[in-house]
Amino acid sequence: MSLDKLKLSKPLVTAMTDAGFLTAKEIQAKTMSRILGGQDVIAVGPEGAGKTTTYVLATLMKLKYAFEEAPRALILVPDAEHVDHVLEQFKLLNRNSTFRILGIDSRGVVETQMNEITDGCDIIVAVPDRARALYLKLALNTNKIQLFIVDNAELIVKKGLQLPVVELANSAYKSQHLVFTEVLHEKLNHMISPFMKDSAATIEVDEISEQQAEVYQQMLYQVPNFRTKLNLLTLLLDDKEVFDKVLVFVNTRLTAQTVYKNFNNKTESEVSIYRPLFFDDFGFDNIDDFKEDPEARVLIVANENLGDLDIHGIPFILHLELPEQKEILIQRIIKHGDDDVVSITFSTDIELIEVKKIEQAIGQRMEIMELPEDLKIVDVAPKPKKKKVEDDEDTERGAAFHEKKASNLKNYNYSAGTKAKMTYKKKKGLS
């Protein structure tokens, strides 16, 4: 799409062209008119979709003139690296330094930053906790904020910075709110719901790269926490007929030991650890020994200092945790020869960021699987004490009971193991 369609000022179009941006990104085309029209917007798109450029352009268009006493745009980002990136984008498009833009993060001295703000600035790019500290010291005046922007919101949630974001947003109650994120999930919604207007538009750009390599069948289970992951893992692997030879990948050797101990009813050699941390845990130092042992069914492998591992010939690859480097997982799921393999990934809301990056890299979406009805969902949040109520139907059902959403209602049900078995049989040509 042409840049003219964004209805930018001529200086901004010139700045974009000079910077090498000759066409508008999809996310810019879908959000710019709404932002310039004053609507609250939640923009969801992958890395590289043009989210930062979108709100930089919108900020420069919305503010129109510079040199006010108090800042009129506050942009919150997760860390100092992102502060630098956003400042570079402003430098690229803020021709002739029309606006005074200030970066605030933990690398600066608080007193110096207080003086810089009070000297006057138009736009502040800051990490949430430092911005909140300056607000509490009365250095950051939010009364004239017109644009309150949260970028990389999913990383802000991952870092646990929700509280300062909400407090600052509520202080800038007259402003327009813009949220940019790679993924949208329950924890993120919980952060932004106190300040986003009911009329806010959610715009999602689902760009995905062309498939770079052929990969195995991909399945994804989304669960709330690690304890529920363990419950799901044991529930799936109870089906010994389907899951007859399985690799379970975790990130550390301590986690591998935790997962191993979670299999309470295992036989002596059924579940094992690759190069176990403790001598009394059953394990293998050579993966070929695991492959050849007919009694060995599940091998738990830690990514920690792992190196190369020949996993060919094993039909099920389970990632209980996502490795820090997506390339590690991608290398395991690239198809080799005629191997018939099912790859299953377990993800919490926080880990969905990494899932999206993997999907972008392989050019393929993971198939989201429905959680088994008999899965025990662990609630890690403390529960308020409740008075005992007799003859109450909800009490008899138990605290773990939840009404099914309408979108999940259906007239059939396959267990997770059956789904995996059906997929595996189909790939083997047995059905």
Side-chain angles (χ1 to χ4, degrees):
M1 177 185 286
S2 171
L3 291 175
D4 295 334
K5 299 291 184 181
L6 298 181
K7 298 181 179 180
L8 301 174
S9 65
K10 288 183 179 180
L12 277 181
V13 172
T14 302
M16 287 282 284
T17 305
D18 290 346
F21 301 112
L22 304 179
T23 58
K25 293 271 193 176
E26 182 182 355
I27 199 165
Q28 294 161 2
K30 289 185 174 181
T31 60
M32 192 62 72
S33 61
R34 293 177 182 272
I35 296 172
L36 297 181
Q39 187 176 13
D40 280 13
V41 170
I42 303 167
V44 186
E47 185 179 2
K51 298 188 294 293
T52 303
T53 308
T54 300
Y55 69 74
V56 167
L57 289 171
T59 301
L60 296 174
M61 279 290 293
K62 290 276 289 185
L63 298 191
K64 295 181 181 177
Y65 54 90
F67 300 99
E68 287 283 305
E69 291 183 0
R72 285 166 294 145
L74 177 60
I75 301 167
L76 300 180
V77 295
D79 51 41
E81 182 182 351
H82 284 86
V83 170
D84 292 340
H85 173 65
V86 176
L87 291 178
E88 281 297 318
Q89 288 293 99
F90 270 112
K91 184 178 179 180
L92 201 61
L93 300 173
N94 181 32
R95 293 172 66 89
N96 303 320
S97 300
T98 310
F99 295 94
R100 298 166 300 175
I101 305 165
L102 183 62
I104 299 291
D105 57 63
S106 58
R107 293 172 298 184
V109 179
V110 172
E111 289 73 16
T112 302
Q113 292 170 343
M114 291 173 63
N115 292 332
E116 289 174 334
I117 294 174
T118 53
D119 284 344
C121 62
D122 302 296
I123 301 165
I124 292 180
V125 184
V127 295
D129 48 353
R130 179 56 64 92
R132 177 180 179 270
L134 292 168
Y135 167 72
L136 293 176
K137 288 179 177 292
L138 305 181
L140 175 57
N141 180 0
T142 59
N143 290 335
K144 292 190 177 182
I145 296 291
Q146 298 175 23
L147 277 174
F148 184 92
I149 301 170
V150 183
D151 191 17
N152 290 104
E154 77 286 351
L155 292 181
I156 286 177
V157 172
K158 188 174 182 178
K159 289 176 175 288
L161 297 171
Q162 299 97 311
L163 195 60
V165 171
V166 174
E167 187 170 344
L168 289 166
N170 288 335
S171 71
Y173 62 93
K174 295 179 182 178
S175 64
Q176 177 185 359
H177 301 95
L178 309 177
V179 174
F180 293 82
T181 180
E182 288 193 28
V183 293
L184 196 59
H185 51 64
E186 185 178 350
K187 289 183 178 179
L188 197 155
N189 281 327
H190 183 71
M191 177 182 75
I192 66 178
S193 60
F195 58 85
M196 293 298 287
K197 297 182 179 67
D198 293 336
S199 58
T202 300
I203 308 296
E204 186 164 3
V205 176
D206 196 21
E207 295 178 354
I208 192 164
S209 307
E210 292 185 8
Q211 189 164 354
Q212 301 297 318
E214 190 175 2
V215 295
Y216 298 127
Q217 173 76 28
Q218 300 295 305
M219 296 181 178
L220 175 66
Y221 284 99
Q222 296 177 231
V223 294
N225 48 55
F226 184 75
R227 289 302 311 172
T228 306
K229 280 187 182 183
L230 289 178
N231 291 344
L232 177 59
L233 178 68
T234 55
L235 187 60
L236 292 178
L237 297 189
D238 277 346
D239 193 337
K240 300 181 181 181
E241 180 184 349
V242 171
F243 295 96
D244 55 351
K245 210 73 170 177
V246 183
L247 289 180
V248 179
F249 287 99
V250 295
N251 282 337
T252 69
R253 297 172 73 191
L254 275 175
T255 306
Q257 201 260 351
T258 299
V259 175
Y260 175 78
K261 295 296 184 184
N262 195 63
F263 288 94
N264 295 321
N265 299 320
K266 61 183 181 297
T267 58
E268 183 178 356
S269 60
E270 180 185 9
V271 180
S272 55
I273 301 177
Y274 182 68
R275 297 178 180 173
L277 189 61
F278 302 108
F279 70 91
D280 55 341
D281 293 334
F282 182 76
F284 293 94
D285 290 330
N286 189 315
I287 193 169
D288 289 333
D289 294 338
F290 168 74
K291 293 178 182 179
E292 295 168 4
D293 189 337
E295 300 297 323
R297 188 170 69 91
V298 179
L299 181 65
I300 306 164
V301 183
N303 294 319
E304 187 177 36
N305 301 321
L306 180 59
D308 294 332
L309 192 70
D310 181 12
I311 64 176
H312 298 161
I314 298 177
F316 287 94
I317 303 172
L318 278 61
H319 284 94
L320 193 68
E321 295 183 304
L322 279 84
E324 292 182 3
Q325 297 178 331
K326 65 180 184 296
E327 291 77 14
I328 294 175
L329 186 148
I330 292 171
Q331 191 61 35
R332 292 172 185 154
I333 63 176
I334 293 177
K335 194 169 186 179
H336 296 278
D338 296 326
D339 284 355
D340 290 315
V341 177
V342 175
S343 172
I344 301 176
T345 300
F346 298 70
S347 172
T348 61
D349 283 351
I350 299 300
E351 291 171 313
L352 282 177
I353 312 166
E354 305 307 322
V355 170
K356 292 293 182 184
K357 292 184 186 300
I358 292 167
E359 291 176 335
Q360 286 293 315
I362 65 175
Q364 178 179 312
R365 298 292 183 208
M366 297 183 186
E367 181 184 359
I368 300 176
M369 307 300 290
E370 185 178 346
L371 297 176
E373 291 188 354
D374 50 347
L375 172 66
K376 182 179 179 182
I377 306 292
V378 179
D379 185 3
V380 296
K383 296 180 180 179
K385 293 183 179 180
K386 295 164 61 175
K387 293 183 179 179
K388 185 176 180 181
V389 180
E390 296 181 0
D391 300 324
D392 186 89
E393 182 181 354
D394 290 337
T395 304
E396 292 176 2
R397 285 177 171 181
F401 176 81
H402 299 282
E403 292 288 348
K404 288 179 70 66
K405 295 180 179 179
S407 59
N408 289 336
L409 293 175
K410 57 182 183 177
N411 55 13
Y412 64 90
N413 183 60
Y414 298 126
S415 71
T418 302
K419 287 182 178 179
K421 190 172 184 178
M422 290 168 64
T423 300
Y424 185 56
K425 282 188 174 183
K426 184 177 180 181
K427 292 176 73 65
K428 294 283 285 187
L430 299 177
S431 58

